[in-house]
Amino acid sequence: MHCLIRVCATIEEETTVTLTATSSTGAPAKGRSLWDDARDRLLANRAAVASIIVLVTIALISVFGPILSAHHYDTVYRDYVKVPASLEAYPKAEQVEPGFMSSARRARLTVETFEREGDTVVAKVTSKRDIDPRSVLYFDRSDLFKNTELSDMSADNKSATVKADINFMHFYFGTDANGRDMMTRTFIAGRVSLTIGLLATVVAISIGVLYGATSGYLGGRIDQMMMRVVDILYSLPFIFFVIMLVVFFGRNFILMFIAVGAVEWLDMARIVRGQTLTIKRQEYVQAAEALGVADGGIVRRHIIPNTLGPVVVYMTLLVPKVILLESFLSFLGLGIQEPMTSWGVLISEGARNLQGAPWMLVFPSIFLTSTLFALNFIGDGLRDALDPKDR
Amino acid sequence: MLRYVLGRLLGAIPTLFLIVTISFFLIRIAPGGPFDLERPLEAKVMENLNKIYHLNEPLWNQYLLYLQSVARLDFGPSFYFRDFTINELFAESLPISIQLGLSALCLALIVGGILGVSAALRQNKPADYSIMAAATLGVTIPNFVVAPILTLLLGVWLGWLPVGGWNGGAFVNRVLPVVTLALPQIAVVARLTRGSMIEALRSNHVRTARAYGLTSYMIVVVHALRGAILPVVSYLGPAAAALLTGSVVIETIFGIPGIGRYFVQGALNRDYTLVMGTVVVVACFVILFNLLVDLLYALLDPRVRYD
Amino acid sequence: MTSETKKTVLSIKDLKVDFETATGTINAVQGVDIHVQAGETVAIVGESGSGKSQTMMAAMGLLASNGHTRGEVIYEGRNILGLPAGKLNKIRGAKITMIFQEPMTSLDPLYTIGRQLAEPMVVHGGLSWKAAKAKALDLLKLVNIPEPERKINAYPYEMSGGQRQRVMIAMSLANDPDVLIADEPTTALDVTTQAQILDLLADLQKRLGMAVIFITHDLGIVRRIADRVYVMKTGEVVESGETGQIFNQPAHAYTRMLLDAEPTGHKLPVPDSTPVLLEAQKVSVEFELDSGFLKPSHVLRAVDNISFSLRKGQTLGIVGESGSGKSTLGRAVLNLLPAGGRVVFHGQQITGKSRAEMRALRKDMQLIFQDPFGSLSPRMTVGQIISEGLMVHEPALNGRQRDERACQALEEVSLDPAMRNRYPHEFSGGQRQRIAIARTMVLKPELVVLDEPTSALDRTIQKQVVELLRDLQKAHGLTYLFISHDLAVVRALSDTVMVMQRGKVVEAGTVDAIFEAPKSDYTKELIGAALLPQQQMMETA
């Protein structure tokens, strides 16, 4: 590896030397910054690019999916409890007649003939008592039919023809134990999980960067004290604290990401401190000091741009950690409350219904896992791109 | 060496004190109490209960009382499991959790280490890519997804293993929880080992070993792996914490009477002493474990000395 | 040592080495022929990137995994190039051994010296561990390690760089090799240590009779030890022959350029009437070592009571080995470190001034660093780097004026101003050092402290930088404090010289006094070890 770098350096030396000789003074040549190089390396990384596409798609679906979906995330379809995922529309052909019969029974009507003509059903019904025209509502109230009409009422009001359109609905991901559309719920859960992931990460990063940079930049005794505090905090069983917080102070969305963020800042603080210390020792910072550049200028022009890389990498790797932590709390029943939901909540419900309704686990798991997978690959890709000698 | 260990143990006392204090007041300022049941108790009964558990005294007094009893290693009576003291509950549940955690840790180190080394030796070849993809999958799939799937597969459909329970620690009862608990850690250890192993294989002293015609066993195991294992050893501390978190889930899913399950039950039922006791015991374990890890590190790396 | 009867032990025929990289194939070695006879010392000379190391790495089967080889490496009538590791391991480490440039990292930090020395003997010689350890002790004695009985159980981190290189040499001799490849074995060492290691190698070769292939960029070493020389440039051998012939009648232009690359010339002294610009009185710097949180600290005196004065236009060379405190002195003079004593610049005492008070003075006193890779902020363009000082000291300038000044500064150091929007990593080492000089010159300073400004550069580039510094001094009447371990460069640039050792001044005087008639033993040893080319010329003449 070393030898390789040396070889590259020479090649570079020669090309730049020729550049000096040939390029005439005039329009200044545009340089390639390290960020440009990193971006190119990242874009050359197929796994990372694919992951970015996956992540963006999931994010877009989570944001716009619930708006575009035909179902609202907490609409309950009592006739479609735990129906399997299907590309075909519900009701299925064999469900139409029993569905109609049960609605008729509720309307206290006896069905004499039942015919299906395309997307409508026509039935002759009779009743012992007078047929109330409002009994069509029993059919409309069912999730299977709509636009029910009563016609051909007989003179004695004892028989009539009921005509109803079949109300076709799609449940591409199936429905849950309450008869809610899993697809919309998965999308809305994505919103929640991604938001928690981002917010908690922002909290953790802000605390960590501030703390770490202060500690590293000040150095000396203060640095030692501040890092000692971090060491002590490291030995606290934090997950237990989070559980305590959530249990005793109620399951509050805001509290949740503050708690998670407060737990996860320690690593960031250590990374940023180490980075700041290293950069502070770099000759280019000493050179700036020798030039008489003030502290602010050194931090702004030299330290921050060079700590940014590891922070970005850590951020991409922290988001999945936070999402996992949230879903873990949700699994213990300490997460987001109904009817709102998150991937963790959906997965824990799915896990309980695995035997009867595997689709309840499969779809949220696919979304969660691909998000985490994508974030991990992007994080790895970014690390390789920003620090190519690392691997 | 002995001085160092003693120093570290003494240094842990303020940390533990801090933990006890923070968790004590955190629990107490929260609304609700252990006897706020759905159907309220009679005032007289409530009063008696409060007296027995010293809840009628000022908070400050309760805190001092608790400190005293903790100093005597007595965690007090449980509020929820009325017939037991916390010490009795721990005597029963702690060994189970420790066995579970240690087995998972060993499994993770052995399997993860082997996977990581084999990936490093085949860097950027198909075997490497598949191991690393599997490892990423291992990190990303939550264990409460893995657990029901494994249970369904091996427990329900194939019927090879029991689906839950501890059964006094019978081997077949351990397999599923230990494997599920270890899976994410296997993945992390494999990734870590691969990274540090690749670096070690490129280092100058391994080049020396190759230049001197040493056998591949000596190059890989004696010279590269011993150095490469150091970052993994440093990870053991955080790994122990991760296993604790994981075991809360695993114990709940598989119905194992370990300390994690008690903690969740305790927290949900405001069992003050149980929650506090768990936090203190777990913190002790984390501290002790970190000390052991540091000593192990010194054993492996002659440049680190504690004297 | 010329003799036709000696047989060839190793011959490299038309060796090519390619590296596959993300940006394309790099042809590091392009058809090299090298023949080594038993018992002779062959030097392979070239600057960094000439492929000299890669040639031998390829022969030993030690290339990085993206390296590919073609050609032949014949040892004892057999082509060993591309042999599987199992077969190659019968030869490497036993019959052909190698020592490396990086003594600090070439030994495994986790095992004792004894164990590492014993390993090749156990593997190749079939010795028991006990017998191997006993032989390891003999080897340590052979390479003159002090207290071998104790050191055999020591870990590498407990030894100095020179001692570690001795251990590597001991390891290379363990199985009586036919060929010893030494890849820049003394480059990372101080000059005095370097001389000792070279003497040791020469002595061992005389006693044990193996052939030595010595890879180096240092012509002084070549002249001192080699029988024959191969000169390499960009992956090819451009010239080869007997050492005397190469040095006296170099045929190839590149060889001549290498030989001419030794810095020459002499600084004209400044008249005594010029005013004193900088005066240092009893400057001391102390560092606290090992200061733990509540631990008693141990104090190291890095600079101990040093006084000197410097007239305008003068150059003071400060010479010393690593750890002598010369760089610390340079920073203390600029008040970049808290120091005791008194420094007077332009009649103004600067010791004890705060950073804010110093800011106005910084314009006139500048610092140039050794490492041209580390001293330029990697995420700023060259233009930004050069004009950063202007933002501090001439805030009245607008962006365009700053840009103009940066262009002028670049032209002054012979770089194309059109490259000012490029980033440091796009430049070579020599160019970066020019950028660092431009950053200093744009402020038009009076005093420049140069901390080993040429040490990280190849000789030919070094010469250009030395000349640039000399021209700039002439043009602007600059005063230099020139810190270096490289006596040849110091001699070419300085009026007066100060020799430092362990924080103290050993000897000080004019260039001629120090180099022609050194008084202290340490100075004599330094000059003797440095193999100054001018001196050698005189000796041979």
Side-chain angles (χ1 to χ4, degrees):
Chain A
M1 194 61 208
H2 285 286
C3 347
L4 199 72
I5 288 167
R6 215 180 299 149
V7 170
C8 298
T10 342
I11 300 295
E12 191 195 341
E13 189 152 337
E14 271 163 31
T15 47
T16 37
V17 165
T18 45
L19 232 162
T20 333
T22 54
S23 78
S24 58
T25 17
K30 178 84 180 72
R32 293 190 51 74
S33 74
L34 292 177
W35 298 118
D36 294 339
D37 284 356
R39 192 195 55 224
D40 286 2
R41 273 194 295 268
L42 187 66
L43 292 181
N45 183 339
R46 256 177 281 157
V49 173
S51 299
I52 292 174
I53 294 171
V54 167
L55 191 66
V56 169
T57 314
I58 288 179
L60 287 178
I61 289 177
S62 298
V63 173
F64 297 108
I67 304 170
L68 300 176
S69 165
H71 310 281
H72 193 253
Y73 70 90
D74 60 349
T75 311
V76 171
Y77 300 103
R78 254 173 281 122
D79 295 297
Y80 298 121
V81 169
K82 281 202 207 176
V83 297
S86 166
L87 287 174
E88 279 173 48
Y90 284 97
K92 298 269 169 74
E94 69 277 8
Q95 288 173 320
V96 177
E97 197 173 340
F100 190 84
M101 293 307 171
S102 78
S103 289
R105 216 174 302 124
R106 248 175 260 138
R108 292 171 198 281
L109 298 172
T110 317
V111 179
E112 301 291 328
T113 61
F114 177 83
E115 258 173 76
R116 178 173 173 179
E117 293 167 1
D119 291 350
T120 56
V121 288
V122 180
K124 282 224 165 74
V125 292
T126 58
S127 175
K128 288 184 186 116
R129 279 171 278 164
D130 288 358
I131 295 174
D132 187 337
R134 284 175 300 173
S135 57
V136 293
L137 287 178
Y138 283 104
F139 293 94
D140 277 354
R141 209 176 289 153
S142 140
D143 300 317
L144 274 61
F145 306 106
K146 58 183 178 187
N147 305 331
T148 317
E149 284 166 17
L150 207 60
S151 58
D152 301 339
M153 185 78 84
S154 66
D156 59 353
N157 281 351
K158 294 265 159 61
S159 67
T161 307
V162 175
K163 201 173 164 205
D165 290 344
I166 299 175
N167 186 12
F168 283 109
M169 276 189 271
H170 284 94
F171 296 108
Y172 297 110
F173 292 4
T175 60
D176 69 1
N178 290 326
R180 291 174 293 194
D181 177 38
M182 277 304 290
M183 189 170 80
T184 319
R185 286 186 74 70
T186 306
F187 294 164
I188 204 94
R191 267 196 209 174
V192 173
S193 287
L194 288 176
T195 314
I196 291 185
L198 271 180
L199 285 181
T201 302
V202 168
V203 171
I205 298 274
S206 317
I207 303 177
V209 168
L210 262 170
Y211 195 94
T214 314
S215 178
Y217 194 72
L218 294 177
R221 284 275 148 83
I222 301 171
D223 177 40
Q224 283 180 3
M225 297 276 273
M226 288 178 82
M227 280 301 120
R228 180 106 190 106
V229 170
V230 170
D231 285 344
I232 290 178
L233 291 177
Y234 251 107
S235 59
L236 298 186
F238 258 114
I239 188 61
F240 289 69
F241 264 98
V242 173
I243 292 178
M244 257 161 59
L245 273 179
V246 177
V247 168
F248 289 117
F249 290 95
R251 303 174 216 166
N252 181 327
F253 188 83
I254 307 225
L255 186 80
M256 186 115 127
F257 73 74
I258 290 182
V260 174
V263 173
E264 297 289 347
W265 66 272
L266 294 172
D267 285 319
M268 190 73 253
R270 280 196 169 171
I271 292 171
V272 171
R273 170 187 173 262
Q275 196 72 16
T276 313
L277 279 181
T278 322
I279 293 172
K280 230 175 74 177
R281 260 184 254 121
Q282 292 288 313
E283 285 195 340
Y284 56 81
V285 172
Q286 293 180 30
E289 268 172 37
L291 281 175
V293 180
D295 276 352
I298 291 180
V299 169
R300 210 169 47 247
R301 281 196 293 275
H302 301 282
I303 293 188
I304 289 180
N306 290 298
T307 33
L308 230 51
V311 171
V312 170
V313 170
Y314 186 71
M315 218 169 128
T316 29
L317 296 175
L318 187 56
V319 176
K321 259 173 103 177
V322 172
I323 293 179
L324 257 184
L325 190 54
E326 185 277 324
S327 50
F328 158 76
L329 287 174
S330 295
F331 173 78
L332 293 177
L334 304 172
I336 302 298
Q337 279 184 307
E338 289 285 322
M340 214 6 117
T341 187
S342 74
W343 284 333
V345 174
L346 290 181
I347 287 172
S348 64
E349 278 168 12
R352 270 177 229 123
N353 291 294
L354 181 58
Q355 259 177 290
W359 59 90
M360 281 177 65
L361 179 64
V362 169
F363 290 101
S365 298
I366 288 176
F367 270 73
L368 177 75
T369 308
S370 10
T371 305
L372 301 187
F373 220 82
L375 281 164
N376 269 300
F377 272 125
I378 294 171
D380 286 355
L382 273 175
R383 181 172 42 211
D384 293 354
L386 290 167
D387 192 4
K389 62 186 170 296
D390 210 9
R391 259 136 217 258
Chain B
M1 178 73 181
L2 195 67
R3 267 190 59 175
Y4 173 79
V5 173
L6 279 176
R8 279 281 293 263
L9 290 177
L10 285 176
I13 290 173
T15 311
L16 282 174
F17 174 75
L18 208 76
I19 292 170
V20 171
T21 310
I22 295 176
S23 41
F24 183 89
F25 288 103
L26 214 82
I27 295 175
R28 294 310 172 92
I29 54 171
F35 307 121
D36 298 344
L37 303 180
E38 275 165 32
R39 226 173 335 136
L41 291 166
E42 277 175 52
K44 187 76 188 156
V45 179
M46 192 76 159
E47 200 180 304
N48 274 338
L49 276 172
N50 279 345
K51 203 181 241 168
I52 294 169
Y53 290 102
H54 301 290
L55 291 178
N56 53 348
E57 292 182 39
L59 197 58
W60 190 246
N61 250 2
Q62 292 183 37
Y63 172 63
L64 290 180
L65 277 173
Y66 187 73
L67 273 188
Q68 272 175 23
S69 64
V70 166
R72 289 194 308 269
L73 295 178
D74 174 10
F75 294 107
S78 168
F79 285 55
Y80 179 69
F81 303 96
R82 300 278 168 76
D83 300 332
F84 296 92
T85 65
I86 302 297
N87 290 40
E88 283 165 355
L89 288 177
F90 282 170
E92 202 184 294
S93 60
L94 206 53
I96 295 178
S97 287
I98 292 176
Q99 283 177 34
L100 189 65
L102 282 185
S103 323
L105 194 62
C106 291
L107 190 68
L109 285 179
I110 295 168
V111 178
I114 292 174
L115 285 178
V117 171
S118 15
L121 290 177
R122 291 167 187 76
Q123 199 197 348
N124 297 336
K125 299 217 172 85
D128 177 26
Y129 288 134
S130 19
I131 290 176
M132 280 307 109
T136 313
L137 208 65
V139 182
T140 50
I141 299 186
N143 47 19
F144 49 85
V145 173
V146 176
I149 291 174
L150 285 184
T151 313
L152 192 65
L153 204 70
L154 300 172
V156 179
W157 290 344
L158 296 172
W160 291 350
L161 298 165
V163 291
W166 187 243
N167 194 18
F171 179 75
V172 283
N173 285 67
R174 288 181 191 213
V175 175
L176 275 180
V178 168
V179 168
T180 319
L181 190 53
L183 271 179
Q185 298 310 313
I186 290 177
V188 178
V189 170
R191 284 172 67 120
L192 258 180
T193 313
R194 173 182 179 269
S196 58
M197 192 69 188
I198 286 174
E199 206 170 293
L201 286 172
R202 279 187 193 149
S203 68
N204 283 338
H205 68 260
V206 169
R207 181 185 64 188
T208 308
R210 287 207 289 148
Y212 281 83
L214 302 189
T215 59
S216 34
Y217 168 81
M218 282 172 108
I219 294 171
V220 173
V221 179
V222 177
H223 288 288
L225 188 59
R226 185 163 162 194
I229 215 88
L230 292 175
V232 181
V233 171
S234 316
Y235 171 70
L236 285 180
L243 283 175
L244 276 171
T245 315
S247 69
V248 173
V249 172
I250 298 298
E251 288 171 15
T252 311
I253 294 179
F254 291 100
I256 296 168
I259 193 168
R261 206 170 67 135
Y262 276 128
F263 176 76
V264 177
Q265 285 177 350
L268 289 172
N269 296 300
R270 317 244 154 178
D271 190 340
Y272 291 159
T273 43
L274 182 53
V275 172
M276 294 281 304
T278 320
V279 170
V280 173
V281 166
V282 166
C284 283
F285 264 95
V286 173
I287 290 170
L288 211 66
F289 200 77
N290 278 330
L291 175 60
L292 284 178
V293 166
D294 285 351
L295 293 178
L296 181 65
Y297 199 102
L299 199 73
L300 283 171
D301 189 345
R303 286 166 296 183
V304 179
R305 284 276 155 83
Y306 299 123
D307 39 35
Chain C
M1 291 249 300
T2 49
S3 108
E4 282 78 48
T5 55
K6 291 223 162 134
K7 67 172 182 117
T8 302
V9 283
L10 187 73
S11 59
I12 295 171
K13 289 179 185 161
D14 196 26
L15 179 73
K16 293 187 176 113
V17 179
D18 300 333
F19 288 99
E20 298 293 336
T21 69
T23 48
T25 306
I26 293 170
N27 309 110
V29 180
Q30 305 166 12
V32 160
D33 292 274
I34 289 172
H35 306 280
V36 182
Q37 287 165 358
E40 73 169 343
T41 301
V42 171
I44 304 178
V45 188
E47 302 200 289
S48 57
S50 59
K52 57 190 191 300
S53 289
Q54 295 310 327
T55 305
M56 298 323 294
M57 290 289 178
M60 292 287 278
L62 294 175
L63 288 179
S65 56
N66 61 343
H68 303 285
T69 56
R70 275 166 296 157
E72 287 182 323
V73 176
I74 310 284
Y75 172 75
E76 289 193 334
R78 210 148 61 102
N79 182 12
I80 61 167
L81 191 69
L83 273 187
K87 284 186 179 150
L88 192 58
N89 282 348
K90 298 244 170 353
I91 297 163
R92 62 178 179 185
K95 293 291 127 196
I96 306 177
T97 57
M98 191 159 185
I99 58 179
F100 301 95
Q101 181 175 357
E102 306 89 353
M104 305 312 277
T105 54
S106 290
L107 291 164
D108 192 330
L110 304 181
Y111 295 93
T112 61
I113 298 300
R115 147 115 204 182
Q116 294 187 60
L117 276 175
E119 273 176 350
M121 293 187 265
V122 171
V123 171
H124 297 293
L127 296 185
S128 69
W129 281 103
K130 206 173 158 205
K133 278 267 172 67
K135 204 177 163 199
L137 187 64
D138 292 340
L139 286 168
L140 285 181
K141 286 177 185 156
L142 185 70
V143 296
N144 303 328
I145 292 267
E147 303 178 80
E149 287 85 1
R150 200 171 65 80
K151 290 286 185 194
I152 195 165
N153 292 318
Y155 289 96
Y157 75 98
E158 296 170 300
M159 303 179 117
S160 68
Q163 285 179 335
R164 292 189 209 188
Q165 201 58 290
R166 284 171 194 268
V167 171
M168 279 305 298
I169 294 172
M171 193 193 276
S172 72
L173 300 176
N175 291 305
D176 301 319
D178 292 333
V179 182
L180 167 61
I181 302 169
D183 184 1
E184 304 246 15
T186 59
T187 308
L189 304 173
D190 274 330
V191 269
T192 48
T193 321
Q194 179 176 0
Q196 290 160 8
I197 296 286
L198 289 177
D199 288 342
L200 175 70
L201 271 176
D203 175 53
L204 289 171
Q205 186 188 20
K206 208 176 284 167
R207 279 155 64 184
L208 305 174
M210 71 280 186
V212 174
I213 302 176
F214 204 99
I215 302 169
T216 184
H217 68 279
D218 188 334
L219 291 170
I221 294 177
V222 175
R223 179 188 279 267
R224 176 162 155 178
I225 63 161
D227 299 318
R228 283 191 308 120
V229 183
Y230 289 87
V231 181
M232 279 188 74
K233 183 191 180 228
T234 57
E236 281 172 271
V237 172
V238 293
E239 187 169 1
S240 64
E242 306 271 323
T243 307
Q245 176 207 331
I246 293 280
F247 273 79
N248 296 325
Q249 297 142 337
H252 195 275
Y254 181 72
T255 315
R256 281 199 295 275
M257 192 173 93
L258 273 186
L259 288 171
D260 286 343
E262 302 293 339
T264 50
H266 216 290
K267 167 120 178 16
L268 294 171
V270 189
D272 283 347
S273 56
T274 35
V276 171
L277 180 73
L278 179 79
E279 184 151 23
Q281 292 166 351
K282 299 197 170 168
V283 175
S284 299
V285 180
E286 289 180 347
F287 289 124
E288 280 185 25
L289 295 181
D290 274 348
S291 71
F293 184 49
L294 290 168
K295 262 186 265 174
S297 56
H298 163 72
V299 171
L300 172 84
R301 276 210 142 192
V303 174
D304 196 357
N305 263 333
I306 290 188
S307 308
F308 62 85
S309 75
L310 199 50
R311 290 176 196 284
K312 197 166 165 41
Q314 256 191 333
T315 301
L316 169 62
I318 300 179
V319 175
E321 294 183 300
S322 54
S324 63
K326 55 189 193 303
S327 291
T328 312
L329 175 65
R331 282 168 173 72
V333 164
L334 294 179
N335 199 10
L336 287 168
L337 288 173
R342 221 166 88 90
V343 178
V344 179
F345 177 71
H346 252 317
Q348 204 180 351
Q349 179 173 336
I350 60 168
T351 352
K353 283 199 181 214
S354 72
R355 269 185 70 185
E357 288 169 327
M358 280 303 294
R359 196 155 296 143
L361 287 169
R362 289 271 173 244
K363 181 181 171 311
D364 296 327
M365 43 201 313
Q366 279 298 312
L367 177 61
I368 288 173
F369 294 87
Q370 166 176 8
D371 179 10
F373 291 86
S375 66
L376 304 176
S377 207
R379 299 194 191 273
M380 287 165 76
T381 65
V382 167
Q384 287 168 337
I385 289 170
I386 293 174
S387 51
E388 187 176 18
L390 291 175
M391 285 165 70
V392 178
H393 296 290
E394 294 181 42
L397 295 182
N398 62 25
R400 174 178 299 221
Q401 288 167 318
R402 278 203 301 270
D403 196 44
E404 259 165 41
R405 290 278 293 274
C407 289
Q408 286 166 12
L410 278 170
E411 267 166 17
E412 200 162 22
V413 297
S414 317
L415 283 177
D416 186 349
M419 310 218 285
R420 67 185 179 281
N421 284 347
R422 292 178 172 267
Y423 289 84
H425 64 105
E426 298 174 275
F427 292 87
S428 68
Q431 286 175 316
R432 290 186 202 212
Q433 200 56 288
R434 283 172 193 269
I435 295 166
I437 294 171
R439 165 171 66 186
T440 306
M441 291 307 155
V442 79
L443 293 175
K444 308 203 182 336
E446 296 184 71
L447 170 71
V448 182
V449 175
L450 299 133
D451 189 359
E452 305 253 14
T454 58
S455 304
L457 307 174
D458 274 330
R459 266 289 179 196
T460 45
I461 302 188
Q462 214 173 66
K463 187 177 184 185
Q464 295 164 10
V465 171
V466 165
E467 265 150 31
L468 173 68
L469 288 172
R470 186 181 279 151
D471 293 345
L472 288 170
Q473 183 171 40
K474 238 180 253 165
H476 301 285
L478 296 171
T479 310
Y480 285 156
L481 195 66
F482 192 90
I483 299 162
S484 182
H485 71 275
D486 187 335
L487 294 174
V489 179
V490 169
R491 184 179 207 179
L493 276 176
S494 311
D495 295 290
T496 50
V497 176
M498 203 159 84
V499 182
M500 283 182 72
Q501 189 188 21
R502 288 187 218 104
K504 291 199 169 71
V505 173
V506 178
E507 194 171 351
T510 62
V511 173
D512 293 339
I514 295 284
F515 283 92
E516 309 298 336
K519 288 191 200 73
S520 76
D521 291 341
Y522 181 67
T523 315
K524 281 180 199 157
E525 193 189 346
L526 263 188
I527 293 173
L531 323 152
L532 284 178
Q534 287 171 345
Q535 260 181 335
Q536 288 184 341
M537 301 289 186
M538 281 183 278
E539 277 160 23
T540 37

